[in-house]
Amino acid sequence: MAHPQPPHSGALAIECLHMSKRFGAFTALDDVTLRVRAGAFHALLGENGAGKSTLVKCLVGYQRADDGQVTVDGRERDIRAPHDAHALGIGMVYQHFTLVPSMSVAENLVMSRDQVPAVVNWRREREALRAFMDTVPFALPLDAPVSTLAAGEKQKCEILKQLYLRRRFVVLDEPTSVLTPQEADEVLGMLRQMAERGEVSVLLITHKLREVMAFADRVTVLRRGRLAGEGEVISLDPAALAEMMVGSREVAQTARHARVAHADAPARLSVRGLTVADDTGLEAVSGVEFEVRAGEILGVAGVSGNGQRELVEALIGQRAVAGGEIRVNGEPYAATRAQMARHRVFSLPEEPLRNACVGALGVADNLALRNFDRAPLAFGPWLRRGALRAQARRLIAEFKVKTTGPEAPMATLSGGNVQRAVLARELSGEVSVLIVANPVFGLDLAAVAEIHTRIMAARNACAAVLLVSEDLDELLELCDRLLVMFEGRMVHHTTPAGADIAVIGGHMAGHAHAREAAA
C-alpha cells in the first residue's frame, strides 16, 4: 500500500502495540508494547535473545509480526517492507557502518535515496546538500572520501544520512561501539538536543547503562521476549535496570568483589619492541613495549583497527612476529604449544568459536584441546574417551556451560556458553599468564558478570592478565593499569584511579598523540 511522505520537520510518535513474533515453536516476541512519544530519546534494553532486534526489525519492515500493530502519530500503519518504513519517516543507524568507503560524503548521501536519477546533476545536488548542512547540528566535508573520515565522523555521516532522507524517527543500534568516549557523548548529545527541539525521535538500543542514564529520558526493558519493565530514567538507577534485564540484582553484581593486591610482583609477560604485520604485510604493531606482573590485570584500550587484533594473535601464536621480543617468566617465548603448556599461558581470543574452538567437534573434544595427549586423557598413543567425557562433565558443571551433553557440537552453543566452555578449558588448572580479547562482546549481563568474575579470580590467584577490550567501562572496572593503543603504538598509560576519560579518549582518537608529536 502507498504511504504519504512524512512532513519535512517534526518528530514522530511511534507505538508498537501487543507485538508477537514466532519462529516455529520458538516465541521471540510475546505481546510486547513499546510507546515512544514524539521528541523522546528512548532507550531499549535487554540481554541477547531478549527480543530487541526482533521488535525493531518488525518496526522497520525487515520482518512481519504475527500479531500486533504499529501506529505512527496515532494512525495505524501497515509496514510490510523497509520501503514502507522509509516512506513514513522511520530510519535506522546500524551498529556497523553501511557507507561506501571509496565514495565521498556527498555521493553516499545522494545514492542512499530510494530513487536516484539515472544521470545525477551534481551541481544541483551539492547546492541542496550545502543548504541541508546549514540545518543540521554537525557538518562534514561533502567532497571528502568516507575512507578518510575518523570513526566518529563516519557515525555522524550515518546519522546525517537518516536526517537527509527526512527520517523523523531514528533507531540507533549500538551506535557507539566504534567511538571514543568523547565521540560517543558528542553524537548522542547532539541527537538528544535535536529530540528536545522536537526535530526527531530517537530509539537507542544499547548495552551501556551509562549512556542510558546520561542521555535517555525513558527506557523499556525486554527479557526473554516479554516486557520486563519500563519507566522514566530519572526515577531509575543502573542496579534497577540491571535487575529488570536479568531478573536478579545479585546476578548483575557478581563481578564486583574485593581485589587482592600484589606489590612488587615479578613480571610474567614482557614485550619489548614488538612489531607485527597485518594481513596485507603492512605494519600493524610498531615497537610495542609493556610488561604484565603476577597478580595484575593490564588493560589495552583503543578504537577497533589500531593493531589490537594483530597484537593478541602474535601473543597467542596465531600470527608471526616481525620483530622484537616476547618473554614469559623471563624466558624467550614464541607461543608454541609446548611453551604454552610449560609456562601455563592461556587465552580467550576474540570470537572464540572461530579462533579458539572447532565448531563441528563436540564440547568434550574442544575441552580437551589443551591436554588430549597427556594423562589422564592419554594412555601412550591412545585417547581414553571415558576420561575425556568425565573431564567434560566436570568442567560443564563447574563452569555452568549450558549444552545438551558432552558430545554436542560446539557450534550449537550460544555465544555466552561458548565463552564459558573456552574459559573452562583455559582456567581449569594453574594459570601463569592469561591473554583475553573482548571477552564479553555481545553477551548478556549474566554471562558478562560470570566471565568478569572468572577473570578477576585468575588475577587474584596471581595470574598475569592482559585484557584487550574496546569497552572502556569494562577496562576501568577490571584493570589495575591501562594502556591506550593508537595506530599500532602504546600512546598513553594510566591507572583507573587516576584515569581522565577526556585524556584517554583524546589518545584513542589520536588527537593528544598528534599534539605531542607536533610539540
Side-chain angles (χ1 to χ4, degrees), residues 79-101:
I79 302 176
R80 296 177 176 269
H83 178 78
D84 297 332
H86 296 168
L88 291 165
I90 302 170
M92 186 165 178
V93 176
Y94 297 91
Q95 182 175 359
H96 301 289
F97 299 133
T98 61
L99 304 168
V100 181

Side-chain angles (χ1 to χ4, degrees), residues 243-325:
E243 187 174 6
M244 287 184 196
M245 290 171 64
V246 301
S248 169
R249 186 173 295 251
E250 287 72 25
V251 170
Q253 295 179 340
T254 52
R256 304 185 185 281
H257 53 272
R259 298 184 177 193
V260 178
H262 295 278
D264 302 321
R268 289 273 177 85
L269 173 64
S270 299
V271 174
R272 295 287 179 266
L274 185 66
T275 300
V276 183
D278 63 15
D279 295 338
T280 67
L282 298 176
E283 197 171 89
V285 178
S286 306
V288 162
E289 300 194 357
F290 61 84
E291 65 178 24
V292 191
R293 299 188 297 270
E296 78 163 347
I297 299 177
L298 175 65
V300 177
V303 176
S304 177
N306 279 279
Q308 303 99 311
R309 178 172 66 88
E310 290 82 1
L311 170 64
V312 170
E313 290 176 352
L315 293 175
I316 64 177
Q318 294 182 349
R319 183 176 293 270
V321 172
E325 181 183 54

Side-chain angles (χ1 to χ4, degrees), residues 447-458:
V448 168
E450 183 169 353
I451 289 169
H452 282 175
T453 297
R454 296 284 185 181
I455 292 171
M456 287 292 291

Side-chain angles (χ1 to χ4, degrees), residues 3 23 27 57 126 136 145 187 200 342 372 458 463 483 490:
H3 295 293
F23 298 93
T27 301
K57 286 177 181 177
R126 281 190 172 83
V136 294
V187 168
V200 66
R342 181 158 58 88
F372 67 89
L483 299 173
M490 299 301 180

